[in-house]
mmCIF file of all heavy atoms in Angstrom:
data_model
loop_
_atom_site.group_PDB
_atom_site.id
_atom_site.type_symbol
_atom_site.label_atom_id
_atom_site.label_comp_id
_atom_site.label_asym_id
_atom_site.label_seq_id
_atom_site.Cartn_x
_atom_site.Cartn_y
_atom_site.Cartn_z
ATOM 1 N N TRP Y 35 -84.999 134.624 -26.904
ATOM 2 C CA TRP Y 35 -86.270 134.192 -27.480
ATOM 3 C C TRP Y 35 -87.158 135.430 -27.609
ATOM 4 O O TRP Y 35 -87.213 136.273 -26.701
ATOM 5 C CB TRP Y 35 -86.954 133.156 -26.593
ATOM 6 C CG TRP Y 35 -86.347 131.796 -26.675
ATOM 7 C CD1 TRP Y 35 -85.370 131.280 -25.884
ATOM 8 C CD2 TRP Y 35 -86.693 130.761 -27.616
ATOM 9 N NE1 TRP Y 35 -85.072 129.995 -26.271
ATOM 10 C CE2 TRP Y 35 -85.879 129.642 -27.333
ATOM 11 C CE3 TRP Y 35 -87.605 130.663 -28.664
ATOM 12 C CZ2 TRP Y 35 -85.943 128.455 -28.045
ATOM 13 C CZ3 TRP Y 35 -87.672 129.487 -29.386
ATOM 14 C CH2 TRP Y 35 -86.850 128.396 -29.070
ATOM 15 N N PHE Y 36 -87.837 135.495 -28.746
ATOM 16 C CA PHE Y 36 -88.744 136.581 -29.039
ATOM 17 C C PHE Y 36 -90.049 135.970 -29.538
ATOM 18 O O PHE Y 36 -90.083 134.795 -29.906
ATOM 19 C CB PHE Y 36 -88.158 137.491 -30.122
ATOM 20 C CG PHE Y 36 -86.890 138.193 -29.716
ATOM 21 C CD1 PHE Y 36 -85.688 137.496 -29.635
ATOM 22 C CD2 PHE Y 36 -86.883 139.536 -29.407
ATOM 23 C CE1 PHE Y 36 -84.511 138.124 -29.247
ATOM 24 C CE2 PHE Y 36 -85.714 140.186 -29.025
ATOM 25 C CZ PHE Y 36 -84.529 139.469 -28.951
ATOM 26 N N ARG Y 37 -91.111 136.753 -29.547
ATOM 27 C CA ARG Y 37 -92.367 136.235 -30.085
ATOM 28 C C ARG Y 37 -93.098 137.332 -30.849
ATOM 29 O O ARG Y 37 -92.868 138.525 -30.625
ATOM 30 C CB ARG Y 37 -93.243 135.685 -28.969
ATOM 31 C CG ARG Y 37 -93.725 136.708 -27.954
ATOM 32 C CD ARG Y 37 -94.471 136.005 -26.807
ATOM 33 N NE ARG Y 37 -94.991 136.963 -25.830
ATOM 34 C CZ ARG Y 37 -95.563 136.607 -24.686
ATOM 35 N NH1 ARG Y 37 -95.698 135.311 -24.370
ATOM 36 N NH2 ARG Y 37 -95.990 137.529 -23.852
ATOM 37 N N GLN Y 38 -93.955 136.890 -31.732
ATOM 38 C CA GLN Y 38 -94.667 137.831 -32.593
ATOM 39 C C GLN Y 38 -96.062 137.309 -32.888
ATOM 40 O O GLN Y 38 -96.248 136.121 -33.148
ATOM 41 C CB GLN Y 38 -93.892 138.040 -33.901
ATOM 42 C CG GLN Y 38 -94.426 139.152 -34.781
ATOM 43 C CD GLN Y 38 -93.496 139.443 -35.939
ATOM 44 O OE1 GLN Y 38 -92.690 138.611 -36.343
ATOM 45 N NE2 GLN Y 38 -93.581 140.655 -36.474
ATOM 46 N N THR Y 39 -97.022 138.220 -32.842
ATOM 47 C CA THR Y 39 -98.396 137.901 -33.234
ATOM 48 C C THR Y 39 -98.741 138.723 -34.465
ATOM 49 O O THR Y 39 -98.112 139.757 -34.724
ATOM 50 C CB THR Y 39 -99.378 138.220 -32.098
ATOM 51 O OG1 THR Y 39 -99.196 139.579 -31.680
ATOM 52 C CG2 THR Y 39 -99.143 137.300 -30.899
ATOM 53 N N PRO Y 40 -99.721 138.267 -35.231
ATOM 54 C CA PRO Y 40 -100.078 138.965 -36.469
ATOM 55 C C PRO Y 40 -100.381 140.451 -36.249
ATOM 56 O O PRO Y 40 -101.135 140.801 -35.344
ATOM 57 C CB PRO Y 40 -101.315 138.213 -36.954
ATOM 58 C CG PRO Y 40 -101.142 136.843 -36.403
ATOM 59 C CD PRO Y 40 -100.519 137.036 -35.057
ATOM 60 N N GLY Y 41 -99.759 141.294 -37.053
ATOM 61 C CA GLY Y 41 -100.003 142.721 -36.978
ATOM 62 C C GLY Y 41 -99.201 143.437 -35.916
ATOM 63 O O GLY Y 41 -99.331 144.661 -35.770
ATOM 64 N N ASN Y 42 -98.393 142.699 -35.180
ATOM 65 C CA ASN Y 42 -97.605 143.309 -34.105
ATOM 66 C C ASN Y 42 -96.118 143.120 -34.341
ATOM 67 O O ASN Y 42 -95.693 142.233 -35.087
ATOM 68 C CB ASN Y 42 -97.992 142.697 -32.759
ATOM 69 C CG ASN Y 42 -99.403 143.042 -32.349
ATOM 70 O OD1 ASN Y 42 -99.789 144.207 -32.319
ATOM 71 N ND2 ASN Y 42 -100.194 142.027 -32.064
ATOM 72 N N GLU Y 43 -95.337 143.935 -33.694
ATOM 73 C CA GLU Y 43 -93.891 143.807 -33.810
ATOM 74 C C GLU Y 43 -93.407 142.643 -32.952
ATOM 75 O O GLU Y 43 -94.057 142.240 -31.994
ATOM 76 C CB GLU Y 43 -93.212 145.108 -33.357
ATOM 77 C CG GLU Y 43 -93.475 146.297 -34.246
ATOM 78 C CD GLU Y 43 -92.660 147.507 -33.859
ATOM 79 O OE1 GLU Y 43 -91.951 147.448 -32.834
ATOM 80 O OE2 GLU Y 43 -92.724 148.521 -34.584
ATOM 81 N N ARG Y 44 -92.260 142.156 -33.330
ATOM 82 C CA ARG Y 44 -91.632 141.098 -32.556
ATOM 83 C C ARG Y 44 -91.252 141.649 -31.188
ATOM 84 O O ARG Y 44 -90.695 142.751 -31.092
ATOM 85 C CB ARG Y 44 -90.398 140.596 -33.299
ATOM 86 C CG ARG Y 44 -89.839 139.286 -32.809
ATOM 87 C CD ARG Y 44 -88.771 138.771 -33.773
ATOM 88 N NE ARG Y 44 -89.313 138.525 -35.104
ATOM 89 C CZ ARG Y 44 -88.605 137.987 -36.089
ATOM 90 N NH1 ARG Y 44 -87.332 137.680 -35.905
ATOM 91 N NH2 ARG Y 44 -89.159 137.797 -37.263
ATOM 92 N N GLU Y 45 -91.535 140.899 -30.142
ATOM 93 C CA GLU Y 45 -91.224 141.383 -28.800
ATOM 94 C C GLU Y 45 -90.272 140.435 -28.087
ATOM 95 O O GLU Y 45 -90.294 139.213 -28.288
ATOM 96 C CB GLU Y 45 -92.502 141.550 -27.963
ATOM 97 C CG GLU Y 45 -93.237 140.278 -27.647
ATOM 98 C CD GLU Y 45 -94.351 140.480 -26.631
ATOM 99 O OE1 GLU Y 45 -94.479 141.585 -26.061
ATOM 100 O OE2 GLU Y 45 -95.096 139.510 -26.378
ATOM 101 N N PHE Y 46 -89.458 141.026 -27.245
ATOM 102 C CA PHE Y 46 -88.503 140.265 -26.465
ATOM 103 C C PHE Y 46 -89.219 139.433 -25.410
ATOM 104 O O PHE Y 46 -90.181 139.883 -24.781
ATOM 105 C CB PHE Y 46 -87.531 141.230 -25.787
ATOM 106 C CG PHE Y 46 -86.671 140.603 -24.747
ATOM 107 C CD1 PHE Y 46 -85.554 139.867 -25.114
ATOM 108 C CD2 PHE Y 46 -86.961 140.736 -23.396
ATOM 109 C CE1 PHE Y 46 -84.756 139.272 -24.159
ATOM 110 C CE2 PHE Y 46 -86.171 140.154 -22.435
ATOM 111 C CZ PHE Y 46 -85.060 139.418 -22.814
ATOM 112 N N VAL Y 47 -88.733 138.220 -25.205
ATOM 113 C CA VAL Y 47 -89.307 137.324 -24.197
ATOM 114 C C VAL Y 47 -88.281 136.994 -23.125
ATOM 115 O O VAL Y 47 -88.528 137.185 -21.938
ATOM 116 C CB VAL Y 47 -89.824 136.026 -24.843
ATOM 117 C CG1 VAL Y 47 -90.266 135.029 -23.774
ATOM 118 C CG2 VAL Y 47 -90.969 136.319 -25.800
#
Side-chain angles (χ1 to χ4, degrees):
W35 284 92
F36 296 74
R37 64 186 182 186
Q38 189 171 22
T39 54
N42 293 307
E43 293 187 355
R44 195 170 299 185
E45 66 170 353
F46 168 79
V47 173

